[in-house]
Amino acid sequence: MGFRELLKEKEFIILDGATGTMIQKSGVQYDEVPETLNITHPELIASFHKAYVDAGADVVYANTFGANAYKLEGCSYSVEEIVGAGISIAKNAVGDRALVALDIGSIGQLLEPAGSLTFEQAYEYYKQLILAGKDADVIVFETMTDLYELKAAVLAAKENSDKPIFTTMTFERNMRTFTGTLPSAFAVTMENLGVDALGVNCSLGPDDLEPIVSEISKYTNLPIVIKPNAGLPDPNTNEYDVMPDDFAKSSLSLLKYGVKVLGGCCGTNPEYIKALKDALTDKKYQPSKSQVDTIVCSASSVVEVNHPRIIGERINPTGKKLFKQALVDNNIDYILTQALSQTGAGAEILDVNVGHPEIDEKQMMVRVLKAIQSVCDAPLQIDSTKPDVLEAGLRAYNGRPIVNSVNGEEKSLSTVLPLVKKYGACVVGLTLDENGIPKTAEGRFEIAKRIVERAEAIGIDRRDVFIDCLTMTVSAEQSACRQTLNALHRVKTELGCKTCLGVSNISFGLPNRDLVTRTFLTMALEEGLDLPIINPNIDSITGAVRAYRVLDGIDKNSMDFIAAYNDAAQAPAANNNSAASDLDIMTAVFNGLKKEGALLTEKMLAETGDAMKIVNEMLIPALDKVGEGFEKNKIFLPQLIQSANAAQACFDVIKSHISKTSGETVSKGKIIVATVKGDIHDIGKNIVKVLLDNYGYTVVDLGKDVDPQLVVDTAIEQDIKMIGLSALMTTTLKSMEDTIKLVRETKELQNPDGSSKCVIFVGGAVLTEEYAMKIGADYYCRDAKESVDTAKKVLG
């Protein structure tokens, strides 16, 4: 019986517990990564699988979690050898008593824009794993923190295998992954990409998972997976603090949220799985039922289309000379200012159209989508008439977008709708076909009906089809206005679809266009318009939508309206043709605009020559403002890193200026960063490096799997007084302790009184502050921002 059959026929599916915990408890040593034990100690790994099946597991995870090519670089064995051995061991160990999952974790590098790994490179890493694990029964992606990376993984699985897929992400107590992904965005994106089940694993115990599992259940109808930790490790004993019976009892409390697939992560063993199996006897599966309307999202922002939502229209070259020139010049910062201006004015979704005959539209669409998503978390609408451009954009997008558009032509229906289905998007349906735009409401309604029927025929829910009844220019054809509104009303009431309109075309050729547009918009809203595409920088137009929400009872207690208009001084409407150079350095850094920040820095240096004033009064305050937003969960890791990179671009200009004018260099001090011996996870360490770099510190990055002696030797040779150590695995905490001990005991790194010259700060998911102090660290840093704060305390 396969995994999909198990989902249908069993009340609950039991997963295994932690492999890493079993390896640690066994005391076995390995020279490279724990997955090499598949080759060096196959009988040991087999014994873990057998123990979990004996305890009641229906699915065991092969020992393949970290066996990707990046983590195995320099390893004695290939991906194919390790993964093949892992699947074979598990298959032989469990026989026909359980299914075997190809277990896949994160690659270990940050994807762009936060890191250097491209989406395409990530896809290739995962494709290699999928092909190497072809004999597994099911594919599992677990402990994921980046929705974009997870999308690459799922696409690699779906395009290179027909096996069932389920996936789990790791969330923190703030209801986000460390890259800022929301449970809701995860659930919506993965369900629409077509996975079989989804949920959460690691980081927290079952009691702490309840708010996260509850939130996921609101956004999906899929079976939910939980694989919690056994609580947290005790720093004194390194034992986890939730016992098997309590673990099982707490897990049962989550069944009401649609949990069907249950197992254990860090700290769990066969006793936990047996307790879980026993506790589920006679319990009944309670399917989750999504409680929300149509959703579009980025990784960090979810928009429910349950009332009129504003789509910003300004990222479009039609009739915009400056925008066209920006496309030709590859001036992405100009386009980003248009995005930020619109969201600042009230746009909740942004339409993105980069069609221009003088550029490669497909390449530009991908570049612009990635750039916008690096500085702005509003969901996006991918706008092109070319299917290859739409697919490139859909592939590059992080979250669930809207496709603009499909129409009633057979060629459009047969090419665009399959893309929408494959990538799990929503779609705008234009009421035109081979014969053009019908003049009557009846004609447009019939095309809308045809689009909806074709969408449903390939599995696209009609809730995800947004019908655009097309706005005609009233100055040329006055009766067309009423035909559009009548068609819109019928689509809304008879087809039950969401509706979309490009509003501003109504007033073309008339004086006082804003008045005509605003009046038409209000009429359309009353007929059921859900998604007006407007220029949000025209306050009277945006205000019409806000006022409608108040008057129709959507904006409860007028809270959003008051928040938008209660300031003593209203911000002036943005100039639609304003250039990016109208910004200042602080704004450029805050919004992650590298090119513009560097140009502004060059300009100010030429005018004033005061480099340190720029650093101390502009760059550092801007980064501090970003850091404050990060700490308050108002911005998230991608924006944090983009702002840091923008500051770095400014700082590079300053360093070059000072070097040319005085021959001096600028640095606030040297800091070593390293991932400890035996640990090959360097994402956290890399993030710390980026931020420290951009605050003006010189970072000596020793990499991952770093021997303690190399840390000591480097500190001596370069006279470095501050050291940062990272560990992600419980099995490498001893290496962190050994490194700290060696630093403290080395005479060359001691003061005359025997105290240490070096300040050591540590971080990593497996650490607690108590444990950090116990092993001799001076500071425990929960995240990269705290590392910067610590550097400020120590080095200034």
Side-chain angles (χ1 to χ4, degrees):
M1 188 182 296
F3 183 76
R4 292 188 178 114
E5 289 70 34
L6 285 178
L7 282 174
K8 291 177 183 177
E9 298 185 20
K10 294 198 68 172
E11 289 293 331
F12 299 100
I13 297 174
I14 308 299
L15 306 175
D16 61 8
T19 298
T21 297
M22 299 289 278
I23 291 172
Q24 186 178 15
K25 291 292 184 183
S26 74
V28 67
Q29 300 297 311
Y30 51 89
D31 294 328
E32 295 169 306
V33 295
E35 288 78 14
T36 58
L37 295 172
N38 294 343
I39 295 173
T40 61
H41 293 76
E43 69 292 337
L44 178 68
I45 301 302
S47 72
F48 301 157
H49 297 321
K50 289 176 182 176
Y52 279 124
V53 174
D54 289 342
D58 300 304
V59 180
V60 298
Y61 287 19
N63 184 36
T64 53
F65 175 78
N68 65 68
Y70 173 72
K71 289 180 179 176
L72 294 181
E73 186 177 352
C75 182
S76 305
Y77 308 102
S78 69
V79 170
E80 289 72 19
E81 288 173 318
I82 290 177
V83 171
I87 300 296
S88 178
I89 291 166
K91 286 270 187 178
N92 291 332
V94 306
D96 60 1
R97 300 169 64 200
L99 300 178
V100 171
L102 171 63
D103 182 27
I104 303 176
S106 172
I107 292 165
Q109 280 186 290
L110 281 172
L111 265 68
E112 57 183 2
S116 59
L117 187 68
T118 68
F119 183 89
E120 294 74 18
Q121 288 170 330
Y123 176 92
E124 291 300 324
Y125 279 125
Y126 285 116
K127 178 181 177 180
Q128 183 181 18
L129 285 165
I130 300 302
L131 295 177
K134 63 185 184 333
D135 294 330
D137 301 304
V138 59
I139 298 167
V140 176
F141 300 107
E142 65 162 338
T143 326
M144 305 296 285
T145 59
D146 184 351
L147 186 62
Y148 199 36
E149 180 179 1
L150 183 52
K151 179 178 178 178
V154 169
L155 286 176
K158 293 187 76 67
E159 292 175 354
N160 296 282
S161 170
D162 60 358
K163 298 186 186 302
I165 302 166
F166 68 91
T167 182
T168 52
M169 296 195 82
T170 295
F171 295 90
E172 300 175 6
R173 284 188 174 85
N174 66 0
M175 301 282 287
R176 301 266 184 170
T177 70
F178 93 99
T179 63
T181 299
L182 285 166
S184 50
F186 158 62
V188 168
T189 303
M190 288 298 110
E191 177 167 359
N192 285 286
L193 279 176
V195 303
D196 295 274
L198 55 86
V200 58
N201 80 292
C202 204
S203 74
L204 300 170
D207 283 336
D208 294 321
L209 286 184
E210 180 158 7
I212 296 165
V213 176
S214 172
E215 184 72 0
I216 289 174
S217 73
K218 297 174 185 175
Y219 291 86
T220 183
N221 293 317
L222 290 178
I224 292 177
V225 184
I226 60 166
K227 220 170 188 272
N229 287 351
L232 295 170
D234 185 314
N236 297 312
T237 64
N238 210 29
E239 297 290 335
Y240 284 75
D241 60 6
V242 177
M243 295 297 102
D245 288 342
D246 292 332
F247 178 88
K249 182 179 178 181
S250 295
S251 296
L252 292 190
S253 70
L254 303 177
L255 297 184
K256 61 181 176 286
Y257 299 115
V259 172
K260 187 180 180 71
V261 186
L262 304 92
C265 205
C266 300
T268 62
N269 57 41
E271 292 180 44
Y272 287 80
I273 301 309
K274 184 177 187 308
L276 193 58
K277 175 81 170 180
D278 292 344
L280 286 168
T281 303
D282 299 328
K283 297 293 186 292
K284 296 294 183 182
Y285 170 53
Q286 306 168 52
S288 62
K289 183 64 177 175
S290 175
Q291 303 170 26
V292 297
D293 208 329
T294 303
I295 296 289
V296 293
C297 67
S298 65
S300 57
S301 178
V302 167
V303 173
E304 183 178 3
V305 189
N306 59 346
H307 63 258
R309 299 289 193 174
I310 296 171
I311 299 180
E313 68 180 9
R314 296 297 301 171
I315 303 176
N316 189 320
T318 303
K320 303 181 186 73
K321 187 180 295 185
L322 287 176
F323 196 102
K324 289 178 181 178
Q325 192 60 48
L327 290 174
V328 172
D329 295 341
N330 280 307
N331 186 356
I332 301 300
D333 273 7
Y334 176 86
I335 299 172
L336 295 184
T337 61
Q338 296 296 315
L340 293 166
S341 171
Q342 290 184 96
T343 55
E348 295 154 288
I349 301 166
L350 298 177
D351 185 83
V352 180
N353 185 316
V354 294
H356 187 50
E358 296 181 35
I359 65 168
D360 183 330
E361 184 182 350
K362 182 166 71 171
Q363 185 182 70
M364 181 60 75
M365 176 64 80
V366 170
R367 187 177 178 198
V368 168
L369 288 175
K370 290 180 178 180
I372 291 173
Q373 289 205 290
S374 73
V375 301
C376 173
D377 67 358
L380 304 180
Q381 179 167 278
I382 303 169
D383 187 353
S384 177
T385 59
K386 300 176 181 177
D388 64 323
V389 175
L390 291 176
E391 178 159 29
L394 284 165
R395 204 168 184 86
Y397 184 79
N398 186 10
R400 190 188 195 205
I402 304 170
V403 167
N404 189 8
S405 56
V406 69
N407 62 55
E409 295 182 33
E410 178 56 36
K411 181 179 179 182
S412 179
L413 292 168
S414 60
T415 55
V416 176
L417 288 180
L419 294 177
V420 173
K421 175 61 178 174
K422 175 180 178 179
Y423 292 98
C426 295
V427 62
V428 173
L430 303 181
T431 54
L432 60 86
D433 60 12
E434 294 88 345
N435 300 314
I437 303 172
K439 290 185 178 296
T440 66
E442 176 65 27
R444 296 183 206 179
F445 176 82
E446 289 303 320
I447 294 175
K449 185 178 178 182
R450 188 192 319 158
I451 292 170
V452 171
E453 288 173 350
R454 288 290 294 273
E456 289 189 321
I458 64 169
I460 300 171
D461 194 301
R462 69 174 56 207
R463 296 188 312 165
D464 299 329
V465 181
F466 309 149
I467 297 297
D468 186 339
C469 293
L470 299 171
T471 305
M472 310 304 289
T473 301
V474 74
S475 61
E477 192 174 357
Q478 196 165 6
S479 62
C481 171
R482 178 45 60 186
Q483 294 300 323
T484 296
L485 295 176
N486 289 347
L488 190 156
H489 178 80
R490 290 194 63 189
V491 166
K492 186 73 174 180
T493 58
E494 296 178 39
L495 293 181
C497 290
K498 300 290 190 294
T499 57
C500 179
L501 270 182
V503 174
S504 60
N505 193 46
I506 193 73
S507 61
F508 185 78
L510 290 175
N512 202 348
R513 289 193 63 186
D514 290 358
L515 176 59
V516 176
T517 301
R518 183 172 71 249
T519 304
F520 173 69
L521 171 59
T522 304
M523 295 168 70
L525 290 168
E526 189 60 25
E527 295 291 354
L529 176 60
D530 297 289
L531 293 164
I533 304 175
I534 63 174
N535 180 356
N537 298 114
I538 301 175
D539 187 64
S540 62
I541 307 298
T542 304
V545 179
R546 290 175 173 146
Y548 177 84
R549 291 172 182 167
V550 171
L551 298 173
D552 202 43
I554 296 165
D555 182 1
K556 301 300 182 184
N557 299 314
S558 308
M559 296 300 294
D560 293 338
F561 189 87
I562 292 169
Y565 294 110
N566 202 34
D567 292 337
Q570 288 292 314
N575 180 350
N576 294 328
N577 294 317
S578 62
S581 57
D582 291 339
L583 301 170
D584 57 31
I585 292 175
M586 288 187 66
T587 303
V589 170
F590 185 82
N591 289 312
L593 305 177
K594 293 186 287 186
K595 180 180 177 181
E596 189 59 32
L599 290 173
L600 289 167
T601 302
E602 288 178 353
K603 180 180 178 182
M604 182 160 283
L605 282 173
E607 292 173 353
T608 69
D610 194 340
M612 296 318 296
K613 181 177 180 179
I614 297 173
V615 171
N616 294 322
E617 296 183 14
M618 296 180 185
L619 298 185
I620 299 303
L623 284 172
D624 286 343
K625 182 180 177 184
V626 173
E628 182 181 353
F630 179 75
E631 290 171 350
K632 293 180 178 178
N633 293 320
K634 292 182 178 179
I635 66 169
F636 302 96
L637 185 65
Q639 294 96 327
L640 179 70
I641 291 180
Q642 285 300 108
S643 292
N645 286 336
Q648 180 68 61
C650 300
F651 202 74
D652 286 344
V653 171
I654 289 169
K655 286 191 287 187
S656 175
H657 171 81
I658 292 177
S659 178
K660 289 177 181 177
T661 56
S662 66
E664 298 177 0
T665 59
V666 181
S667 174
K668 292 185 174 182
K670 283 188 175 183
I671 303 172
I672 289 173
V673 296
T675 301
V676 298
K677 181 68 177 175
D679 203 319
I680 56 172
H681 301 84
D682 59 356
I683 287 180
K685 182 264 295 176
N686 291 342
I687 295 169
V688 169
K689 177 182 183 298
V690 168
L691 285 190
L692 289 173
D693 272 339
N694 293 301
Y695 269 84
Y697 301 99
T698 300
V699 180
V700 180
D701 184 1
L702 299 182
K704 57 191 177 183
D705 190 22
V706 178
D707 189 275
Q709 191 61 52
L710 178 59
V711 175
V712 167
D713 291 344
T714 305
I716 294 171
E717 291 168 6
Q718 300 194 36
D719 191 26
I720 297 175
K721 302 297 192 298
M722 192 168 189
I723 299 170
L725 302 175
S726 173
L728 189 66
M729 303 161 62
T730 55
T731 52
T732 58
L733 288 177
K734 184 64 167 59
S735 293
M736 180 176 281
E737 184 177 4
D738 291 344
T739 304
I740 295 172
K741 183 179 179 183
L742 185 61
V743 170
R744 302 300 190 212
E745 292 177 349
T746 299
K747 290 186 178 179
E748 292 89 340
L749 297 179
Q750 292 176 352
N751 293 310
D753 62 0
S755 61
S756 178
K757 292 180 180 178
C758 294
V759 172
I760 300 175
F761 65 98
V762 297
V766 294
L767 278 172
T768 63
E769 184 170 11
E770 186 179 0
Y771 190 85
M773 297 304 102
K774 177 190 171 187
I775 62 176
D778 296 294
Y779 293 94
Y780 163 70
C781 299
R782 289 174 299 175
D783 53 43
K785 178 60 172 57
E786 282 200 5
S787 299
V788 171
D789 293 340
T790 300
K792 288 180 179 179
K793 291 178 187 176
V794 175
L795 300 177

